[in-house]
């Protein structure tokens, strides 16, 4: 409604980052509470998962409940998804024996990756997507949605604005090596973060006048030394991804970067804290967002504050 009245389109570009993407929920909570209307959501990987659920009509409260229910479910507790996450991020209070067991488990998964397309079974990740994402076409979402993935065969960015929502999100979340690439027609699709970690350009190309970008990936920091060829390989990839991300972020009007520290992208233990960090970062950015909003958007927001709230309960 707001976009029709003002003619200006405000987009939210939600970046990838695995579990760190739970911070996106905190961003959405604050934007909704502050009545900052979003006309378009573009999501990559975790951003596609959280953004897709919200665009489909789930309220932040409902998404939070689905996160809590999933993490407490027997399905998750008995899954390889949790097992791999635990092996990569052992509890800080774990004893030496437990840590050694987790180390061996981690090495087992690393070795297995040499003989398969992915570490995780496809069925487990499909189950996770189905838990969060309604079975619908992207064109049916309440908020217009773009889902970004990467075609590994042609090396191209693929932006979905139509088609099965669950399949598009699955493709966007298919982290190379962790989740098996998703075959869709002539494409072999993997994580959108390979070509667009924070999909600002996709939002601009869709006609966004203002873009709020949310970065949840770890910031690159100086390392004391590199000891193995694998260290060098990974470090080179980190630097390349960081520079490409910076270039895309130049096109954003406002960048929100929650302070998530060194949380691993598969560490599920602090989900609620990640959401809170997203809220804090968005509240700190409200002044910048207000200043960047088109005039009529600001006026609409001011007027809406005078009207009793009618928040979604779904």
């Amino acid at each position: 409604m707001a976009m029709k009245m003002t003619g200006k389109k405000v987009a939210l570009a939600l970046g990838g980052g695995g579990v760190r993407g739970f911070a996106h929920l905190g961003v959405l909570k604050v934007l909704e509470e502050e009545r900052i209307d979003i006309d378009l959501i573009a999501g990559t990987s975790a951003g596609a998962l959280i953004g897709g659920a919200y665009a489909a009509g789930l309220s932040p409260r409902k998404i939070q409940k689905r996160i809590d229910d999933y993490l407490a479910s027997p399905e998750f507790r008995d899954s390889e998804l949790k097992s791999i996450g635990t092996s990569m991020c052992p509890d800080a209070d774990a004893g030496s024996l437990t840590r050694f067991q987790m180390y061996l488990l981690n090495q087992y998964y690393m070795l297995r990756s040499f003989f398969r397309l992915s570490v995780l079974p496809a069925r487990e990740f499909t189950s996770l997507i189905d838990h969060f994402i309604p079975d619908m076409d992207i064109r049916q979402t309440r908020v217009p949605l773009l889902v970004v993935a990467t075609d590994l065969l042609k090396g191209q960015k693929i932006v979905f604005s139509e088609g099965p929502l669950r399949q598009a999100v699955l493709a966007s979340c298919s982290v190379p090596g962790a989740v098996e690439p998703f075959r869709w027609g002539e494409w072999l699709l993997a994580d959108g973060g390979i070509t667009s970690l924070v999909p600002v350009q996709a939002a601009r190309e869709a006609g966004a006048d203002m873009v709020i970008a949310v970065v949840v990936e770890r910031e690159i920091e100086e390392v004391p030394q590199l000891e193995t060829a694998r260290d060098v390989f990974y470090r080179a990839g980190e630097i390349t991804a960081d520079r490409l991300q910076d270039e895309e972020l130049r096109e954003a009007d406002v960048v929100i970067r929650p302070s998530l520290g060194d949380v691993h992208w598969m560490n599920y233990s602090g989900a609620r804290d990640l959401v809170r960090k997203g809220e804090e970062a968005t509240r700190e950015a409200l002044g910048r967002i207000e200043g960047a909003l088109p005039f009529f958007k600001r006026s609409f927001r001011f007027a809406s504050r005078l009207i009793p709230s009618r928040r979604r309960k779904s």
Side-chain angles (χ1 to χ4, degrees), residues 42-211:
T44 287
S45 197
L49 179 65
I50 300 299
Y54 183 79
L58 275 68
S59 66
R61 179 184 61 82
K62 189 69 171 180
I63 299 173
Q64 180 70 69
K65 187 176 186 307
R66 291 200 177 192
I67 291 174
D68 293 341
D69 289 349
Y70 181 74
L71 296 180
S73 69
E75 179 183 10
F76 175 71
R77 289 200 305 267
D78 298 335
S79 69
E80 287 197 58
L81 183 64
K82 183 178 187 300
S83 178
I84 294 172
T86 301
S87 73
M88 292 183 173
C89 316
D91 193 301
D93 298 325
S96 56
L97 178 58
T98 300
R99 285 182 169 276
F100 181 66
Q101 290 173 332
M102 292 300 100
Y103 169 78
L104 292 179
L105 184 60
N106 181 267
Q107 294 304 303
Y108 162 72
Y109 283 124
M110 291 294 294
L111 180 62
R112 195 171 73 171
S113 68
F114 286 102
F115 303 97
R116 299 185 181 184
L117 282 175
S118 66
V119 175
L120 281 171
R123 65 182 182 279
E124 285 201 4
F125 212 72
T126 300
S127 175
L128 182 151
I129 298 297
D130 291 351
H131 181 86
F132 286 95
I133 301 296
D135 186 11
M136 63 193 303
D137 191 281
I138 297 174
R139 291 169 294 186
Q140 298 174 309
T141 55
R142 183 186 64 85
V143 179
L145 176 69
L146 303 174
V147 177
V148 179
T150 302
D151 176 20
L152 293 176
L153 300 181
K154 294 183 179 180
Q156 296 178 343
K157 177 174 68 178
I158 306 295
V159 181
F160 290 99
S161 58
E162 61 180 8
L165 177 57
R166 283 178 171 175
Q167 291 185 20
V169 172
L170 175 61
S172 184
C173 292
S174 295
V175 179
V179 183
E180 186 173 343
F182 184 75
R183 173 67 69 173
W184 189 323
E186 63 180 12
W187 298 321
L188 185 64
L189 299 174
D191 197 297
I194 300 170
T195 49
S196 181
L197 192 56
V198 186
V200 176
Q201 291 176 356
R204 289 291 189 196
E205 290 164 2
D209 299 287
M210 173 192 171
V211 179

